[in-house]
Amino acid sequence: MKLGRIQIGSEVAVVRIQDDKASVLDLASAGLSSLQDLLSSPELVRLSAELPAIGESLALESLCWLPPIDQQEVWAAGVTYKRSQTARMEESEAAASCYDRVYTAARPEIFFKATPNRCRGHLGNLRIRTDATWNVPEPELALVISRSGKIVGYTIGNDMSSRDIEGDNPLYLPQAKVYNECCGLGPWITLAADMPERSSIGIHLEIHRHSKLVFSGDTSVSQMARNLEDLVSWLLRDNDMPNGAFLLTGTGIVPDSSFTLAPGDLVHINIDGIGTLSNRIVQG
Ligand code: DO4
Ligand code: MG
């Protein structure tokens, strides 16, 4: 089962996606008012399947997708794949030992990534900072965490990053990571029970410029050095999430150092069991 959020005129609707069609869910019939309420319901699986639909089912291509987030905070884990460790050690000689140590330490790197207003959904624009010169998308499996701290679903996250700012000084990490339209989420959430076995989840990134493929890369969740529940338990240590949370689980795909995103680029991230999140890159 997949759940998403769409814009219809001035209204926001929660949809169930099945057989390449979306149906608007009548949340009020179950006393719910948001996707977040549904995701934190103990009856999530049953309600997702059984909530009555309002109106006709809709073709997916015709919809205006919103990121599948209401009021949750978005956090991210870093240096969870060998490729991220290596790329960051190259990016910053001064901070190389920090990345080296965190890759093997018991405590993972976890940082605050975005508020809902900084997130964009499928086909929305993602931004390069005006003061950054070296930028990349980071294609990441995103965990959807309920108010009670359970992984209830998965979506695709794009942890947009300014490598020159982070590489200059690791204390600039929040500025390299958190700014307007810095985070892609979507296109929808696949409920946990419907995901493929973790070790077989592939992640694929393509970047197109003027209709030409300028970068592609692949990884798999099996390459991650961390366990997903362990990451969630670190996130929630002394850190309540009364609205639930999203946790991006780190990138295993980093383009070579000569590559930087340009305004107009189209970034496609595909993750098995979820689908494809596509975003246009803008700057300024
Ligand atoms: O250490 C900085 C950020 C790491 C990160 O975002 C990643 O590995 O995905
Ligand atoms: Mg990242």
Side-chain angles (χ1 to χ4, degrees):
M1 187 68 58
K2 296 182 168 82
L3 299 171
R5 272 170 89 245
I6 60 168
Q7 180 94 42
I8 308 179
S10 57
E11 303 286 310
V12 173
V14 173
V15 290
R16 168 170 61 219
I17 296 110
Q18 243 176 346
D19 304 328
D20 288 336
K21 293 271 183 203
S23 311
V24 173
L25 295 181
D26 184 1
L27 294 180
S29 67
L32 305 171
S33 57
S34 64
L35 177 56
Q36 179 185 319
D37 282 348
L38 177 57
L39 291 168
S40 286
S41 164
E43 300 266 38
L44 168 63
V45 173
R46 184 184 67 76
L47 287 172
S48 301
E50 294 178 8
L51 272 174
I54 303 172
E56 298 290 299
S57 56
L58 307 163
L60 301 187
E61 319 74 64
S62 65
L63 300 178
C64 175
W65 294 98
L66 296 171
I69 184 170
D70 299 304
Q71 291 169 347
Q72 298 95 324
E73 295 172 5
V74 183
W75 291 73
V79 198
T80 52
Y81 290 81
K82 191 80 190 158
R83 175 66 190 123
S84 179
Q85 179 213 20
T86 314
R88 288 186 152 89
M89 289 176 71
E90 285 164 9
E91 170 188 289
S92 170
E93 272 177 36
S97 73
C98 297
Y99 298 116
D100 199 23
R101 278 185 287 129
V102 82
Y103 183 68
T104 49
R107 182 190 290 270
E109 178 196 11
I110 294 183
F111 57 92
F112 184 77
K113 173 62 188 174
T115 45
N117 65 299
R118 294 185 170 89
C119 297
R120 289 295 176 271
H122 180 52
L123 304 179
N125 291 340
L126 293 179
R127 193 163 292 278
I128 298 173
R129 289 184 65 113
T130 52
D131 56 0
T133 54
W134 183 19
N135 298 276
V136 287
E138 293 193 353
E140 306 190 8
L141 180 69
L143 312 180
V144 183
I145 301 166
S146 69
R147 288 176 189 138
S148 63
K150 206 170 145 205
I151 303 174
V152 292
Y154 297 82
T155 189
I156 300 173
N158 182 346
D159 172 23
M160 290 283 291
S161 297
S162 304
R163 294 190 69 186
D164 56 324
I165 296 177
E166 180 187 335
D168 194 18
N169 186 324
L171 296 182
Y172 294 151
L173 184 77
Q175 295 172 73
K177 295 286 191 178
V178 186
Y179 53 91
N180 296 335
E181 293 148 50
C182 64
C183 182
L185 282 182
W188 42 63
I189 292 168
T190 299
L191 295 191
D194 298 313
M195 282 296 283
E197 222 236 292
R198 279 180 193 173
S199 59
S200 69
I201 300 175
I203 302 180
H204 182 67
L205 168 68
E206 283 189 5
I207 305 172
H208 295 251
R209 186 169 299 160
H210 308 305
S211 309
K212 285 207 184 87
L213 182 67
V214 289
F215 176 81
S216 75
D218 291 285
T219 189
S220 155
V221 173
S222 63
Q223 300 300 306
M224 197 189 293
R226 303 271 177 183
N227 165 286
L228 301 183
E229 280 73 18
D230 189 50
L231 287 178
V232 174
S233 83
W234 281 99
L235 171 68
L236 299 179
R237 268 191 198 199
D238 299 294
N239 193 21
D240 294 341
M241 301 285 169
N243 296 319
F246 285 73
L247 178 62
L248 277 56
T249 55
T251 188
I253 305 173
V254 184
D256 285 345
S257 298
S258 58
F259 180 88
T260 185
L261 280 172
D265 285 356
L266 201 48
V267 175
H268 302 288
I269 304 172
N270 179 273
I271 300 190
D272 293 335
I274 304 173
T276 303
L277 172 69
S278 301
N279 297 100
R280 179 79 65 190
I281 302 301
V282 297
Q283 186 172 28

